[in-house]
Amino acid sequence: MYEPIRSKSVHSTMAGPDDFPHRSREEELDIQLAGHLAALLTVTDELRAAAPSADLDTAAERLTQEITRLRGGRTPARATTSTRGREPDATALHRKAHALAGRALVVAASRADTAAAILAAERMDAHTAALKPRPLASSAH
């Protein structure tokens, strides 16, 4: 009535522990940091398309350099942004950029990457300043 199983179980694997690619913690943090910085670069490019400025141009260049360094020389893909048909919400973009820079700062700090941490902190400061309300010019009567 009962016949023993003659083949290997589908639940066992023939692969050993060294047969799978493993990354170190530092490599994983590099990938994560590069991802946060790439997302920040995308939002920076969106802000540049909406309101070009030298500060955003410099930030985009520095972000590109850091991402390229973290990715071992591979430059990030840059999307061309189009504001046709809709006006981007600069306040929302600055909030998003601030949050992304904050995430990058946390990962850079845990990785002890001073250059990326400084860049992320500078971008957080820049986006915080952009979110502050500007004082209205008082008119003298």
Side-chain angles (χ1 to χ4, degrees):
M1 269 199 180
Y2 173 76
E3 186 173 334
I5 298 172
R6 293 188 179 138
S7 61
K8 287 205 175 241
S9 168
V10 296
H11 298 289
S12 67
T13 178
M14 294 176 58
D18 296 331
D19 292 340
F20 296 105
H22 295 285
R23 291 188 277 256
S24 68
R25 180 176 185 276
E26 186 171 304
E27 289 170 324
E28 289 292 338
L29 289 173
D30 282 351
I31 292 166
Q32 191 176 27
L33 180 57
H36 290 315
L37 292 176
L40 179 57
L41 177 60
T42 299
V43 176
T44 301
D45 284 341
E46 289 179 41
L47 284 165
R48 289 174 61 217
S53 78
D55 177 57
L56 290 172
D57 291 344
T58 302
E61 180 61 33
R62 290 179 63 205
L63 286 165
T64 300
Q65 290 170 353
E66 282 300 310
I67 295 164
T68 301
R69 178 181 63 84
L70 290 165
R71 290 183 176 170
R74 290 178 298 153
T75 58
R78 303 283 293 271
T80 56
T81 57
S82 172
T83 58
R84 220 182 303 148
R86 65 176 176 85
E87 188 64 33
D89 181 3
T91 301
L93 288 174
H94 281 294
R95 283 190 182 123
K96 186 175 182 178
H98 185 273
L100 289 166
R103 291 180 192 143
L105 179 58
V106 169
V107 176
S110 69
R111 192 181 166 279
D113 187 330
T114 306
I118 289 170
L119 177 58
E122 289 173 356
R123 297 316 309 150
M124 285 183 73
D125 290 345
H127 294 295
T128 298
L131 289 169
K132 286 185 180 175
R134 306 258 189 304
L136 297 174
S138 61
S139 57
H141 289 287

